[in-house]
């Protein structure tokens, strides 16, 4: 089946929102067109380049779409917070943002049984910091402030709850520093370590700027999932996507994409 891919700009979404009833369209051949929101600026996970959305998750979505003859995916570039709001209202049929499974998300959305990858939580430190290898080593250290919400904040809070004898003190900040700036603060010695998932492009930053920064082995592994708008019709979509992802794993296609975009096979840690 030849499928037409389209990229819709954020400006165009305002028009779509006004015209859409929140339901996927179905053509005469019975093919449902689904609107899938992905980040436009989260390299290497997903970003827009030369008018096309590219990256790890867009490439996975295209492979999944090729396997599902009853569906056609339209990828749209949407900021993270706007994407979840749009999924809540049915504006988008599915979102792909490297998201973790949680009880709250499981109640609100349909989540495929198969993960599409994994977010490897790692510690970033100076290359001469031999005393930091795991979370316990961060007790008493200065940690780069994290945003007051999101995966890193929740991870550290969860660690402290489970490990009261090795509680890690940390600050939060809404300053919006780039990942490069946060890494520089570690390199300069202002902070001892930075905790981040390793799929946000840090390795490229470290290499391109010749930073004296190294990473630990993963201190936690979070499988990542697509989130689907919750309604009766999409129950079949959830199962179809799960089956397609399982086949792609078996074929080695997802591992190939992980190596291409992240430089490592995340499925070695998540399976």
């Amino acid at each position: 089946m030849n499928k037409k891919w389209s990229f819709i700009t954020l400006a165009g979404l305002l028009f779509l929102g006004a015209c859409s009833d929140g339901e996927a369209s179905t053509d005469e051949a019975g093919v449902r067109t689904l609107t899938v929101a992905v980040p436009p600026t989260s390299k290497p996970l997903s970003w827009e380049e030369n008018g096309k959305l590219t990256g790890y998750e867009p490439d996975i979505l295209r492979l999944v779409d090729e396997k599902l003859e009853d569906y056609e995916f339209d990828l749209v570039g949407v900021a993270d917070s706007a994407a979840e709001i749009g999924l809540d209202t049915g504006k988008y049929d599915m979102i792909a943002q490297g998201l973790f499974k949680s009880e709250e998300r499981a109640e609100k959305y349909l989540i495929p049984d198969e993960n599409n990858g994994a977010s490897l939580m790692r510690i970033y430190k100076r290359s001469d910091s031999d005393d930091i290898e795991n979370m316990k080593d961060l007790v008493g250290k200065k940690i780069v402030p994290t945003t007051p919400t999101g995966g890193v904040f929740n991870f550290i809070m969860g660690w402290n709850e489970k490990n009261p004898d090795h509680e890690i003190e940390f600050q939060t900040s809404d300053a919006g520093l780039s990942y490069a700036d946060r890494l520089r603060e570690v390199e300069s010695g202002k902070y001892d370590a930075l905790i981040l998932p390793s799929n946000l492009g840090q390795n490229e930053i470290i290499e391109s700027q010749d930073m004296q920064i190294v990473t630990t082995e993963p201190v936690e592994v979070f499988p990542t999932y697509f989130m689907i708008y919750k309604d009766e019709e999409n129950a079949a979509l959830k199962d179809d996507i799960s089956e397609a992802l399982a086949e792609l794993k078996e074929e080695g296609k997802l591992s190939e994409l992980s190596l291409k975009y992240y430089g490592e096979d995340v499925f070695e840690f998540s399976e």
Side-chain angles (χ1 to χ4, degrees):
M1 177 181 294
N2 291 324
K3 297 186 176 182
K4 179 182 179 182
W5 287 89
S6 63
F7 171 62
I8 305 173
T9 63
L10 286 174
L13 290 176
L14 296 175
F15 174 78
L16 283 177
C19 298
S20 174
D21 59 5
E23 298 181 357
S25 62
T26 304
D27 66 16
E28 293 179 356
V31 176
R32 291 181 64 202
T33 298
L34 306 174
T35 303
V36 184
V38 299
T41 58
S42 297
K43 190 176 182 178
L45 182 70
S46 172
W47 76 100
E48 188 270 327
E49 185 174 313
N50 298 324
K52 180 182 179 181
L53 285 161
T54 189
Y56 178 73
E57 287 195 325
D59 278 9
I60 291 177
L61 288 165
R62 292 183 174 101
L63 290 177
V64 170
D65 191 20
E66 288 175 3
K67 287 185 173 291
L68 304 183
E69 294 186 352
D70 293 335
Y71 304 95
E72 180 177 335
F73 294 168
D74 275 343
L75 304 189
V76 298
V78 185
D80 290 355
S81 58
E84 286 211 50
I85 293 172
L87 188 62
D88 291 344
T89 63
K91 182 175 183 179
Y92 308 120
D93 301 292
M94 185 164 70
I95 61 176
Q97 301 177 333
L99 296 173
F100 309 159
K101 184 187 294 184
S102 68
E103 291 183 6
E104 180 182 5
R105 285 173 175 155
E107 289 179 2
K108 291 198 300 180
Y109 312 131
L110 295 174
I111 304 177
D113 298 327
E114 295 286 338
N115 66 313
N116 58 52
S119 180
L120 310 180
M121 199 70 73
R122 283 190 160 105
I123 301 170
Y124 293 77
K125 59 177 186 173
R126 291 187 304 280
S127 55
D128 59 355
S129 298
D130 298 329
D131 58 340
I132 299 176
E133 295 297 336
N134 54 52
M135 291 297 289
K136 291 182 180 179
D137 295 335
L138 295 180
V139 176
K141 302 293 187 182
K142 294 182 295 182
I143 311 300
V144 176
T146 183
T147 54
T149 59
V152 176
F153 175 84
N154 292 331
F155 167 61
I156 300 176
M157 292 294 289
W159 165 269
N160 285 342
E161 183 177 345
K162 296 175 183 177
N163 300 273
D165 294 335
H166 299 93
E167 185 171 342
I168 297 170
E169 295 183 2
F170 69 105
Q171 303 293 321
T172 61
S173 172
D174 285 319
L177 291 178
S178 68
Y179 298 131
D181 287 337
R182 297 184 213 183
L183 290 166
R184 288 191 196 99
E185 289 188 331
V186 174
E187 187 179 39
S188 70
K190 181 177 180 179
Y191 294 100
D192 297 309
L194 168 66
I195 303 172
L196 276 180
S198 60
N199 60 351
L200 303 176
Q202 299 95 305
N203 288 344
E204 183 177 343
I205 295 171
I206 292 169
E207 291 177 7
S208 65
Q209 300 189 23
D210 195 27
M211 290 184 174
Q212 301 305 302
I213 297 290
V214 295
T215 66
T216 65
E217 289 297 306
V219 294
E220 189 64 76
V221 177
F222 293 101
T224 57
Y225 297 85
F226 299 138
M227 302 288 155
I228 303 169
Y229 179 66
K230 194 170 188 177
D231 65 10
E232 291 184 6
E233 187 177 22
N234 283 343
L237 172 63
K238 166 185 172 293
D239 293 338
D240 290 340
I241 289 177
S242 297
E243 183 177 346
L245 288 171
E247 291 178 3
L248 290 168
K249 288 179 183 178
E250 183 67 23
E251 295 165 1
K253 297 292 183 62
L254 298 193
S255 291
E256 289 176 7
L257 289 178
S258 180
L259 287 167
K260 175 181 178 180
Y261 287 106
Y262 301 136
E264 62 182 337
D265 184 2
V266 298
F267 294 95
E268 293 181 358
F269 300 94
S270 65
E271 296 294 287

